């Protein structure tokens, strides 16, 4: 089954095959067909340009460090000891000792495991890699091409540090399978011997095969081309030069594919179009005054003027203009014309504008800490020495013990046929700690105006931070969801450090106050957190800040339609719902009273219904006066 | 392919980053006495490149590198497993021993497992590597220059570890240097493309690297012969006091770093100007607010505190020249 692959996509992949600095490719919103097509195409292109075998490895959400870097595994039984272990290279180190290249495919960057993310940071765009694990030490030059897919609307979940490593961002083509009767019949024939679905292979068009195999010297960038590269990042505030380098290298690849000896500003423009990069507005205006036809451009000098390596502290690097001392002018090949920058089809760097949807410091390993409860919860991220039998990692324990069997049996001749285990062999799983405490915060934004609620909240936020509690905020009457103002909204985060918690706290008051719905939602959250048998939440602290003046009946929140007049229905519904919390265990409730000028009794009544500690929030000084 | 066949961007072709270069060179001249250099900078600013380039230039080799995937046995040493499986004991040294007298480099130091951090802290604090595990009983001296690079977006460093770095350099890419950086990196690409053969770029770089290396080696030899006047020592105390630094090492490190800077500049005596040059590197991470950036105002404050006015500096310079 074939697909229509647009030429621009071929060009992008061919550029990556030619330029090692572009072999970190990110495709936004690529479906499985597109990704498989890209893998197949890239594998063929890389085979041609590297002249080596290309191994393909898939990196997912479960990979742990030993899987990635290598580990000891059991081998065939040793006749004298009864067992043996051997070293097995990991997914990312399997080609460290040969000439093969590795094509690492990441089907969903947002689901990459912590260990894999850290490995990517270490290996991507690195001239040298180091392995220092389990008695093994290696230094090698990574030969890896990275190809990842990422849903664009979830890019805020990924560390920008990791995203920055992806030099080449290619707009994802919409591939359409071409129906083929021959392919169907061939597949049916194959099914007689194999139950596998047809593999997605695509034949590399001759045109691209020729383009990447022509032996050609590396084109030089003209000074104008370098200035053009810089023009694309003018006014942007990203750190480092990776993006500029990516555009420059892509421009160089474009020139190579066109068999040009000099990279001109037009090659750079074509490169920018390939990744969907547009000039800043200020540069577009200037650009309109420039000629559209490629002009011969002077070359940069091969050995640009150097600063003296004296020990002067301020190296004279103020020379920002690119050296143009060489007067060599090579006529560029005009047989192909290059389009000038076109309107932006996509944004290659959506992470710059995406809302942050991840915790702070996502690449750090969680602290090793002792937990009183539920140590078996949390995803496994590795192993560590154990001093108890709890949550033992059996295979790593066995493998550790296996190393010492010969030595131990020599000391214990009476146990020559036994497997001798020592307490130092014990290994237990290392897991991402699960929160054992939860802070549930119901914020009625329509009641906060006159009181110092942030100050009143600080002790509870501190409690959440110190206890590494998960956070749920029930937003009642915020301006963030005006289209659904009859309902409360919920914001959930693993910890207080998640940026969206800060955003939730900064919301402004809206018009409606669906307090009853907010309490109902809070009730469901607590119930779920305390679910028998599966829960790891040992304690919940429920904080409510409201003046008790709900003006949306529960029925209206459920149906999404309100019948006027409301009268006290919203208030009564809230009081009734609050009653459910009285009998809940492992729950401590605080009602922080904003001391409303009218109906000051409502918060007190609500606190009684909840069985909550009632605390008054100080009014801001102006209101007090 | 051996380690030396891996082409590393040459140190002499690094554009800008004078603070980091100065810090690395001073740490080299002071020969492990300064603890190390912490390099903080955002992604893509060339932190690792510069450290590798410096080590390749000075030691003709890559730095002893402690990767964030390192396991404990490789950090402190252990048994050679293949021999162990055969029933014989043969020790394998760890990275902390291998780095004795050299640079121990940790890329992404703020992503290091806290357990490994504890091991490094224990060793760095005492200068003695103590290992008692799996039947090993090791206690031996090891001193190294710890060089760590980190991206502050990915978290901070524990204060205890931060304090172990005698010097710290914040680096960022200046917008007016981008063209030159591009030009040089692309030229290096070309050298890699041809596997370094007949590369004018690399030949030129090697020649300049050799000059720098020779000067730094001379400075290191002369380091112990540099003298310090009492008013410079007083300047160290004044700076440490005025900037309300945390810990007790700042004044010592100021003195050591200034002495190395004097050697680096070819002087016989440490001047207040040398002290002024190194003050940001020593003080920036020891202030109470450790995330505070070093500003131009801080430079002015240092100059004012040291009274590095034109007259005094002129007199001092004259004296140095006269003594020379």
């Amino acid at each position: 089954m074939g697909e229509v692959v647009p030429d621009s996509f071929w060009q992008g992949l061919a550029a990556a095959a030619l330029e090692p600095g572009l072999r970190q490719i990110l495709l936004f919103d690529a479906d499985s067909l597109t990704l498989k097509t890209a893998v197949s195409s890239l594998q063929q292109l890389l085979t041609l340009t590297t002249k080596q075998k290309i191994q393909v490895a898939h990196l997912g959400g479960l990979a742990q460090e030993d899987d990635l870097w290598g580990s000891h595994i059991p081998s065939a039984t040793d006749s004298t000891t009864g067992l043996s272990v051997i070293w097995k290279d990991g997914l990312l180190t399997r080609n460290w000792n040969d000439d093969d290249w590795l094509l690492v495919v990441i089907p969903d960057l947002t689901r990459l495991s912590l260990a894999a993310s850290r490995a990517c940071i270490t290996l991507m765009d690195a001239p040298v890699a180091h392995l220092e694990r389990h008695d093994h030490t290696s230094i090698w030059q990574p030969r890896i091409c990275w190809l990842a897919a990422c849903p664009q609307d979830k890019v805020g979940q990924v560390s920008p540090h990791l995203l920055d490593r992806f030099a080449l961002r290619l707009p994802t083509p919409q591939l359409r399978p071409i129906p083929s009767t021959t392919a169907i019949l061939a597949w049916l024939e194959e099914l007689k011997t194999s139950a596998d679905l047809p593999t997605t292979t695509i034949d590399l068009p001759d045109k691209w095969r020729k383009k990447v195999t022509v032996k050609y010297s590396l084109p030089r960038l003209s000074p104008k081309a370098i200035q053009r590269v810089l023009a694309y990042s003018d006014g942007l505030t990203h750190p480092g030069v990776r993006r500029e380098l990516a555009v420059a290298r892509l421009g160089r690849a474009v020139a190579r594919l066109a068999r040009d000896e000099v990279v001109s500003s037009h090659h750079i423009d074509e490169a920018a179009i390939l990744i969907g990069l547009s000039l800043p507005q200020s540069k577009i205006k200037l650009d309109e005054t420039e000629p559209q036809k490629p002009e011969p451009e002077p070359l940069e000098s091969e050995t640009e003027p150097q600063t003296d390596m004296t020990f002067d502290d301020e190296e004279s690097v103020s020379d920002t203009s690119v050296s143009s001392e060489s007067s060599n002018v090579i006529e560029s090949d005009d047989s192909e014309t290059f389009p000038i920058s076109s309107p932006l089809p996509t944004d290659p760097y959506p992470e710059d504008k995406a809302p942050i949807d991840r915790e702070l410091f996502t690449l750090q390993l969680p602290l090793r800490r002792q937990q009183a409860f539920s140590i078996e919860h949390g995803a496994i991220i590795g192993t560590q020495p154990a001093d108890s039998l709890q949550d033992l990692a059996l295979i790593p324990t066995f493998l550790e013990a296996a190393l010492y069997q010969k030595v131990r049996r020599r000391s214990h001749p009476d146990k020559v046929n036994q497997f001798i285990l020592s307490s130092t062999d014990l290994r237990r799983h290392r897991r991402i700690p699960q929160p054992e405490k939860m802070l549930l915060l119901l914020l009625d934004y329509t009641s906060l105006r006159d009181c110092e609620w942030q100050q009143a909240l600080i002790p509870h936020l501190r409690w959440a931070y110190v206890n590494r509690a998960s956070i749920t905020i029930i937003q009642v009457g915020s301006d963030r969801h005006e289209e659904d103002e009859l309902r409360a909204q919920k914001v959930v985060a693993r910890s207080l450090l998640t940026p969206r918690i800060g955003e939730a706290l900064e919301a402004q008051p809206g018009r409606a106050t669906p307090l009853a719905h907010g309490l109902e939602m809070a009730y469901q959250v607590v119930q779920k957190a305390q679910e028998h048998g599966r829960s790891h939440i040992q304690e919940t602290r429920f904080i409510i800040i409201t003046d008790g003046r709900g003006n949306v009946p529960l029925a209206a929140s459920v149906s999404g339609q309100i019948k006027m007049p409301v009268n006290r229905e919203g208030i009564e519904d809230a009081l009734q719902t609050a009653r459910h919390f009285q009998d809940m265990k492992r729950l401590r409730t605080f009602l922080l009273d904003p001391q409303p000028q009218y109906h000051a009794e409502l918060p007190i009544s609500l606190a009684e219904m909840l069985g909550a500690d009632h605390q008054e929030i100080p009014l801001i000084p102006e209101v007090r006066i | 392919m051996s380690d030396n066949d891996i082409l590393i961007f040459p140190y002499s072709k690094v554009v800008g980053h004078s603070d980091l270069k100065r810090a690395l060179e001073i740490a080299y001249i002071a020969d492990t006495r300064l603890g190390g250099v912490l390099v903080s900078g955002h992604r893509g600013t060339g932190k690792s490149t510069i450290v590798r380039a410096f080590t390749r230039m000075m030691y003709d080799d890559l730095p002893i590198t402690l990767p964030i995937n390192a396991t404990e046995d490789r950090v402190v040493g252990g048994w050679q497993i293949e021999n162990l499986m055969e029933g014989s004991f043969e020790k394998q040294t760890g990275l902390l021993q291998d780095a004795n007298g050299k640079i121990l480099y940790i890329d992404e130091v703020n992503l290091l497992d806290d357990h490994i951090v504890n091991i490094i802290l224990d060793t760095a604090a005492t200068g003695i590597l103590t290992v008692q595990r799996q039947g090993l009983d090791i206690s031996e001296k090891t001193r190294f220059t710890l060089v760590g690079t980190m991206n502050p977006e990915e978290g901070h460093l524990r204060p205890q570890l931060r304090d172990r770095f005698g010097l710290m350099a914040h680096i960022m890419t200046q917008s007016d240097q981008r063209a030159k950086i591009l030009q040089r990196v692309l030229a290096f690409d070309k050298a890699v493309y041809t596997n370094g053969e007949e590369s004018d770029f690399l030949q030129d770089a090697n020649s300049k690297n050799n000059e720098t290396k020779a000067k730094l080696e001379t400075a290191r030899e002369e380091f112990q012969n540099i003298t310090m006047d009492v008013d410079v020592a007083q300047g160290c105390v004044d700076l440490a006091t005025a900037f309300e630094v945390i810990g007790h090492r700042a004044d010592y490190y100021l003195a050591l770093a200034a002495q190395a800077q004097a050697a680096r500049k070819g002087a016989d005596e440490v001047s207040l100007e040398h002290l002024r040059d190194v003050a940001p590197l020593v003080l920036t991470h020891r202030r109470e607010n450790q995330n505070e950036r070093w500003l131009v105002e801080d430079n002015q404050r240092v100059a004012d505190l040291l009274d590095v006015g034109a007259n005094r500096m002129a007199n001092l310079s004259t004296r140095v020249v006269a003594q020379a």
Side-chain angles (χ1 to χ4, degrees):
Chain A
M1 190 175 289
E3 290 83 28
V4 179
V5 179
D7 234 25
S8 60
F9 196 58
W10 279 119
Q11 195 175 10
L13 295 180
L18 285 173
E19 284 278 343
L22 295 177
R23 289 177 189 163
Q24 304 92 29
I25 308 160
L26 184 55
L27 304 175
F28 287 110
D29 299 325
D31 58 20
S32 61
L33 175 65
T34 308
L35 193 60
K36 283 178 181 172
T37 305
V39 171
S40 167
S41 312
L42 199 53
Q43 196 173 5
Q44 294 174 68
L45 287 163
L46 285 168
T47 305
L48 293 170
T49 54
T50 64
K51 297 183 175 59
Q52 302 295 339
K53 187 182 167 193
I54 310 296
Q55 300 181 35
V56 178
H58 285 77
L59 211 54
L62 297 176
Q64 295 175 27
E65 288 199 318
D66 280 353
D67 306 326
L68 300 168
W69 298 105
S71 60
H72 291 106
I73 60 163
S75 75
T77 304
D78 185 304
S79 58
T80 53
T81 62
L83 60 100
S84 180
V85 294
I86 54 166
W87 176 261
K88 182 175 184 290
D89 287 328
L91 198 103
L92 299 175
T93 55
R94 59 170 70 166
N95 68 332
W96 76 272
N97 203 21
D98 56 39
D99 293 329
D100 289 359
W101 269 75
L102 198 56
L103 173 56
V104 174
V105 182
I106 304 172
D108 186 347
L109 202 56
T110 63
R111 293 181 181 276
L112 202 57
S113 70
L114 175 60
S117 300
R118 289 162 58 88
C120 289
I121 289 292
T122 306
L123 289 174
M124 291 176 80
D125 197 28
V128 59
H130 297 262
L131 174 71
E132 301 288 352
R133 289 180 70 79
H134 307 311
D135 168 59
H136 271 251
T137 177
S138 310
I139 301 172
W140 76 104
Q141 197 166 19
R143 291 177 305 282
I144 305 179
C145 178
W146 306 81
L147 177 66
C150 179
Q152 187 155 335
D153 60 349
K154 292 183 180 170
V155 74
Q157 294 179 10
V158 185
S159 157
H161 192 173
L162 176 57
L163 286 166
D164 188 58
R165 294 283 204 267
F166 286 93
L168 184 58
R169 318 290 184 90
L170 291 178
T172 305
Q174 297 298 316
L175 299 185
R176 300 184 310 277
I178 303 170
S180 156
T181 52
T182 318
I184 293 171
L185 293 173
W187 177 48
L188 288 173
E189 191 61 31
E190 276 178 30
L191 279 180
K192 292 175 183 170
T193 52
S194 164
D196 292 340
L197 288 171
T199 51
T200 308
T201 54
I202 191 160
D203 290 330
L204 188 64
D206 277 348
K207 171 185 166 186
W208 292 103
R209 188 181 297 276
K210 283 178 189 164
K211 277 178 181 280
V212 298
T213 46
V214 169
K215 185 74 182 166
Y216 218 74
S217 63
L218 214 54
R220 297 177 189 172
L221 267 80
S222 70
K224 275 190 178 176
I226 287 186
Q227 292 305 332
R228 192 66 168 175
V229 171
L230 296 174
Y232 278 97
S233 62
D234 189 54
L236 302 179
T237 55
H238 66 273
V241 291
R242 281 209 176 98
R243 291 184 185 177
E244 287 92 336
L245 268 175
V247 175
R249 284 168 171 157
L250 188 55
R252 187 164 62 186
V254 167
R256 267 175 95 178
L257 290 168
R259 302 185 189 183
D260 289 333
E261 292 177 4
V262 183
V263 185
S264 71
S265 52
H266 296 279
H267 294 111
I268 300 300
D269 286 336
E270 191 175 356
I273 291 170
L274 268 182
I275 60 172
L277 187 64
S278 64
L279 281 172
Q281 284 299 318
S282 57
K283 295 287 174 184
I284 289 173
K285 283 175 190 166
L286 287 173
D287 195 54
E288 285 165 357
T289 63
E290 290 181 2
Q292 300 289 300
K293 189 173 180 292
E295 295 286 333
E297 294 175 355
L299 291 174
E300 100 250 42
S301 68
E302 175 72 6
T303 52
E304 83 283 26
Q306 298 295 307
T307 53
D308 285 335
M309 285 306 295
T310 60
F311 293 118
D312 291 340
D313 291 330
E314 277 61 54
E315 190 188 7
S316 54
V317 290
S318 56
D319 176 19
T320 55
S321 61
V322 178
S323 166
S324 56
E325 66 183 20
S326 168
S327 59
N328 291 340
V329 177
I330 294 178
E331 293 293 330
S332 67
D333 183 358
D334 282 350
S335 60
E336 290 194 37
T337 57
F338 300 97
I340 296 299
S341 185
S342 69
L344 180 72
T346 54
D347 179 3
Y349 308 110
E351 67 266 31
D352 292 352
K353 293 170 189 158
I356 299 168
D357 197 16
R358 59 185 175 274
E359 290 185 17
L360 285 170
F361 313 148
T362 44
L363 295 175
Q364 282 194 338
L365 287 173
L367 288 175
R368 295 177 189 229
R369 60 193 176 103
Q370 297 298 321
Q371 293 178 320
F373 306 102
S374 63
I375 200 164
E376 294 85 359
H377 289 292
I380 296 169
I381 55 170
T383 57
Q384 59 188 16
D387 52 11
S388 77
L389 298 178
Q390 198 172 17
D391 200 23
L392 271 190
L394 293 177
I395 300 298
T397 298
F398 167 81
L399 293 174
E400 183 69 17
L403 305 176
Y404 301 94
Q405 290 309 300
K406 268 197 174 171
V407 177
R408 287 176 186 168
R409 283 171 185 171
R410 198 186 297 153
S411 310
H412 298 87
D414 54 322
K415 297 180 179 173
V416 283
N417 294 320
Q418 294 178 29
F419 188 77
I420 305 171
L421 200 64
S422 157
S423 60
T424 56
D425 301 330
L426 296 182
R427 295 289 180 275
R428 68 178 172 89
H429 292 123
R430 189 168 184 201
R431 296 173 182 270
I432 293 175
Q434 290 287 1
E436 293 167 357
K437 299 190 180 182
M438 178 172 71
L439 179 69
L440 175 59
L441 176 62
L442 187 150
L443 264 183
D444 172 1
Y445 293 86
T446 61
S447 68
L448 305 177
R449 198 182 58 185
D450 296 337
C451 63
E452 294 181 328
W453 63 277
Q454 293 99 331
Q455 288 297 321
L457 202 53
I458 283 176
H460 303 288
L461 296 179
R462 190 176 292 132
W463 174 88
Y465 179 74
V466 169
N467 289 287
R468 296 175 190 274
S470 64
I471 311 275
T472 300
I473 296 181
I474 308 288
Q475 294 181 296
V476 172
S478 88
D479 65 339
R480 297 283 164 92
H481 305 279
E482 285 185 340
E483 72 288 351
D484 198 14
E485 61 184 359
L486 297 182
R487 296 189 176 99
Q489 306 293 331
K490 186 169 65 177
V491 178
V492 183
R494 243 184 90 82
S495 81
L496 189 63
L497 300 178
T498 308
R500 85 182 97 120
I501 291 297
E503 291 165 17
L505 291 175
E506 286 169 6
Q508 296 299 309
R511 295 182 302 175
T513 311
L515 179 59
H517 186 244
L519 286 166
E520 176 67 24
M521 196 178 260
Y523 179 68
Q524 288 169 7
V525 169
V526 179
Q527 262 198 327
K528 191 175 178 191
Q530 298 189 348
E531 205 173 343
H532 179 70
R534 296 176 60 191
S535 169
H536 43 85
I537 295 292
Q538 303 296 321
E539 183 185 344
T540 302
R541 184 176 284 207
F542 183 23
I543 313 296
I544 305 139
I545 305 183
T546 180
D547 57 9
R549 293 194 294 172
N551 60 9
V552 181
L554 191 54
S557 297
V558 173
S559 67
Q561 291 180 333
I562 193 162
K563 289 178 186 169
M564 303 300 275
V566 171
N567 297 326
R568 278 183 60 91
E569 207 179 330
I571 295 171
E572 295 301 331
D573 281 357
L575 290 170
Q576 286 302 317
T577 311
R579 197 190 296 272
H580 299 320
F581 288 91
Q582 286 185 358
D583 300 327
M584 299 194 96
K585 293 173 183 170
R586 292 181 283 154
L587 174 72
R588 189 160 179 207
T589 312
F590 297 83
L591 188 138
L592 308 186
D593 182 352
Q595 301 189 65
Q597 201 172 352
Y598 305 104
H599 298 292
E601 77 288 355
L602 282 180
I604 298 169
S605 304
L606 191 62
E608 283 174 5
M609 282 295 187
L610 285 161
D613 292 352
H614 175 261
Q615 296 174 355
E616 290 182 346
I617 307 175
L619 296 174
I620 57 176
E622 294 79 9
V623 176
R624 233 180 277 152
I625 293 164
Chain B
M1 176 181 272
S2 77
D3 304 353
N4 281 328
D5 293 333
I6 299 174
L7 283 176
I8 298 293
F9 190 88
Y11 186 74
S12 59
K13 294 288 184 181
V14 171
V15 177
H17 299 315
S18 54
D19 276 355
L20 173 55
K21 288 179 184 168
R22 191 191 312 145
L24 289 170
E25 290 169 9
I26 285 174
Y28 173 82
I29 293 167
D31 188 15
T32 76
R33 295 179 184 88
L34 274 168
V37 180
L38 177 60
V39 189
S40 174
H42 282 84
R43 49 189 187 266
T45 44
K47 307 176 289 292
S48 314
T49 303
I50 299 170
V51 174
R52 289 193 189 104
F54 180 76
T55 317
R56 173 60 70 80
M57 176 180 74
M58 295 311 305
Y59 299 95
D60 297 323
D61 205 349
L62 290 165
I64 305 291
T65 301
L66 196 161
I68 56 171
N69 61 36
T71 52
E72 183 182 336
D73 65 298
R74 286 301 307 124
V75 178
V76 300
W79 300 111
Q80 288 185 10
I81 289 179
E82 276 188 20
N83 290 327
L84 205 58
M85 293 283 293
E86 296 301 319
S88 67
F89 292 100
E90 197 156 335
K91 288 179 188 171
Q92 186 185 30
T93 58
L95 294 168
L96 296 181
Q97 290 159 290
D98 296 343
N100 189 24
K102 300 178 189 168
I103 284 176
L104 176 65
Y105 174 49
I106 308 175
D107 194 9
E108 313 290 358
V109 63
N110 51 343
L111 298 184
L112 203 60
D113 192 343
D114 58 311
H115 176 57
I116 303 294
V117 169
N118 288 338
I119 295 170
I120 295 169
L121 279 176
D122 289 346
T123 309
T126 59
I128 296 171
L129 173 67
T130 307
V131 184
Q132 286 188 324
R133 61 190 287 276
Q134 296 177 332
L136 281 169
D137 186 1
I138 298 171
S139 181
E140 63 179 56
K141 286 184 181 176
T142 177
R143 298 205 77 91
F144 44 81
T145 299
L146 190 62
V147 177
T149 49
M150 59 176 269
N151 176 352
E153 286 175 304
E154 291 301 345
H156 308 301
L157 218 53
R158 282 164 54 185
Q160 301 94 324
L161 183 58
R162 203 177 168 110
D163 197 39
R164 288 290 147 203
F165 293 96
L167 309 174
M168 179 176 184
H170 282 286
I171 71 168
M172 56 193 299
T173 303
Q174 302 291 344
S175 56
D176 61 355
Q177 294 171 347
R178 287 175 188 254
K180 196 153 197 163
I181 294 171
L182 279 183
Q183 195 181 24
R184 290 194 182 176
V185 175
L186 293 171
F188 181 66
D189 275 358
K190 188 170 184 183
V192 173
Y193 183 71
T194 57
N195 208 20
E197 289 166 12
E198 297 174 8
S199 165
D200 293 342
F201 177 83
L202 288 185
Q203 277 182 13
D204 183 56
N206 286 340
S207 156
K208 289 189 162 56
N209 273 358
N210 290 337
E211 280 177 38
T212 308
K213 183 179 177 181
K215 286 179 180 175
L216 288 175
E217 283 173 341
T218 305
R220 187 166 170 161
E221 285 163 16
E222 292 299 317
F223 173 73
Q224 295 284 30
N225 302 325
I226 310 287
T227 58
M228 181 180 285
D229 214 343
V230 70
D231 57 349
V232 179
Q234 184 61 45
C236 299
V237 174
D238 292 345
L239 286 177
T241 309
F243 278 84
E244 297 176 346
V245 292
I246 298 168
H248 65 284
R249 298 187 177 87
D251 46 354
Y252 289 6
Y253 280 142
L254 278 168
L256 263 177
Q259 188 172 339
Q261 170 72 347
R264 181 171 170 266
K265 289 283 191 181
D268 298 328
E269 187 178 12
V270 186
S271 71
L272 288 171
E273 198 174 20
H274 298 139
L275 179 57
R276 182 191 59 188
D277 292 345
V278 300
L281 303 174
V282 178
L283 297 176
T284 186
H285 57 307
R286 293 193 160 79
R287 291 182 293 180
E288 197 161 352
N289 180 359
Q290 298 186 352
N291 298 320
E292 200 179 334
R293 298 295 301 272
W294 189 267
L295 303 173
V296 176
E297 292 78 18
D298 294 314
N299 272 336
Q300 186 57 49
R301 195 171 167 213
V302 168
D304 291 345
L305 282 164
L306 297 178
D307 193 17
V308 197
N311 289 336
R312 185 167 182 181
M313 287 310 296
N315 291 339
L316 206 66
S317 302
T318 310
R319 200 169 71 203
V320 169
V321 171
Q323 285 170 350

